[in-house]
């Protein structure tokens, strides 16, 4: 998959956490590097991700969460080894095979098709445009039961609802701040699909304008964040 990357300098917002707002939407995140006690050097923020990949057992789904997510779905080449089982106007659904047989070789276990094959199908094979320190990508979490795609495991306890084994968000519009250099950038990544590079460039420019607007709304000078160990992390995983 070919993708186009655009990077533009933007004014620094206030505290990185100010970009999260009071009620962040699902898939919104703020990552800060942890070189030691004190303010981090690198902060990466994304909100309104393009799409989500979610797997529960053998079921795998890619769902567009915003219009740019539809561009990613249209540019996708379905991975071999996963069986397409439908979807809708905004999603694609697949069924992965079961775990490898007991005694299978290491090569067969590692190569067993899984939800990770769908993740790999979205990864760019060629980047066009401008390099970025964080050129977009997937952010999220893996559950332990994802191991069952590669290793026969004892039957897990019954879990409530559809707790996922994997839930990843494809973030194609990012804000990246580096304290050591004082640089602040908006990054937008879009697939170069059937519409060609001109269409991709138009989408990327719209994405950059959206990130810049979000930063302007946060406003305020950048100040050092509080020092100390990180707090607890809450997830939807059992």
């Amino acid at each position: 998959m070919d993708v186009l990357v655009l990077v533009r300098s933007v004014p620094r917002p206030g505290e990185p956490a100010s970009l999260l707002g009071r009620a962040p939407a699902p898939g919104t995140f703020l990552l800060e590097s942890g070189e030691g006690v004190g303010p981090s050097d690198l902060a990466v923020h994304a909100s309104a991700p393009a799409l989500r990949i979610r797997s529960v057992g053998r079921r795998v789904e890619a769902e567009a969460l915003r219009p740019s997510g539809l561009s990613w779905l249209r540019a996708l080449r379905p991975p071999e080894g996963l069986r397409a089982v439908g979807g809708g106007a905004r999603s694609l659904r697949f069924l992965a095979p079961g775990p490898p047989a007991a005694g299978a070789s290491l090569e067969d276990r590692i190569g067993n098709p899984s939800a990770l094959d769908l993740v790999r199908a979205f990864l760019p094979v060629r980047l066009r445009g401008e390099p970025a320190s964080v050129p977009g990508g997937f952010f999220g979490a893996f559950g332990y039961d994802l191991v069952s795609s590669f290793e026969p495991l004892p039957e897990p306890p019954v879990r409530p609802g559809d707790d996922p084994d994997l839930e990843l968000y494809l973030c194609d519009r990012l804000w990246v701040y580096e304290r050591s250099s004082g640089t602040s950038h908006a990054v937008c990544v879009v697939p170069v699909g059937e519409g060609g590079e001109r269409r991709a460039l138009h989408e990327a420019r719209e994405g950059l304008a959206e990130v810049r607007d979000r930063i302007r709304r946060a406003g305020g000078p950048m100040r050092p964040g509080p020092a100390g160990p990180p707090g607890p992390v809450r997830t939807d995983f059992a």
Side-chain angles (χ1 to χ4, degrees):
M1 182 183 294
D2 286 4
V3 300
L4 177 69
V5 182
L6 285 190
V7 183
R8 292 292 182 270
S9 296
V10 291
R12 293 178 296 173
E15 289 290 343
S18 67
L19 292 171
L20 294 176
R22 294 186 177 182
T28 299
F29 74 86
L30 173 68
L31 297 179
E32 296 202 52
S33 56
E35 292 84 2
V37 176
S40 63
D41 183 51
L42 184 69
V44 181
H45 171 267
S47 64
L51 61 82
R52 177 183 67 181
I53 292 181
R54 196 171 192 267
S55 74
V56 180
R58 297 173 57 199
R59 293 175 288 138
V60 189
E61 180 181 39
E63 178 186 10
L65 303 178
R66 55 178 298 141
S68 67
L70 295 174
S71 297
W72 287 96
L73 288 183
R74 285 192 291 264
L76 175 70
R77 292 184 178 180
E80 298 180 5
L82 299 183
R83 180 161 60 90
V85 292
R90 304 179 62 87
S91 65
L92 297 173
R93 294 174 183 167
F94 302 90
L95 194 65
S105 67
L106 176 61
E107 182 178 357
D108 288 340
R109 295 200 305 272
I110 294 176
N112 195 57
S114 71
L116 295 179
D117 289 83
L118 184 56
V119 176
R120 295 187 190 100
F122 282 102
L123 298 180
V125 295
R126 184 170 60 169
L127 293 174
R128 305 185 190 180
E130 307 162 49
S133 56
V134 184
F138 283 99
F139 299 86
F142 299 86
Y144 171 76
D145 288 339
L146 186 65
V147 176
S148 65
S149 301
F150 312 100
E151 298 282 355
L153 295 178
E155 190 68 26
V158 177
R159 295 181 296 179
D162 283 342
D163 291 333
D165 302 324
L166 172 150
E167 186 160 314
L168 298 177
Y169 292 89
L170 177 59
C171 299
D172 54 0
R173 301 176 183 189
L174 305 171
W175 168 76
V176 181
Y177 174 67
E178 191 174 25
R179 279 190 171 88
S180 59
S181 64
T183 56
S184 177
H185 290 98
V187 180
C188 188
V189 186
V190 296
V192 181
E194 295 179 355
E197 192 162 316
R198 177 174 296 183
R199 175 64 182 173
L201 182 61
H202 176 73
E203 289 188 22
R205 286 172 173 166
E206 287 185 339
L208 289 176
E210 181 182 309
V211 177
R212 286 198 300 264
D213 184 60
R214 189 185 311 136
I215 292 172
R216 278 196 297 268
R217 290 198 304 268
M222 178 69 74
R223 299 183 301 276
V233 177
R234 297 179 60 186
T235 73
D236 294 331
F237 287 82

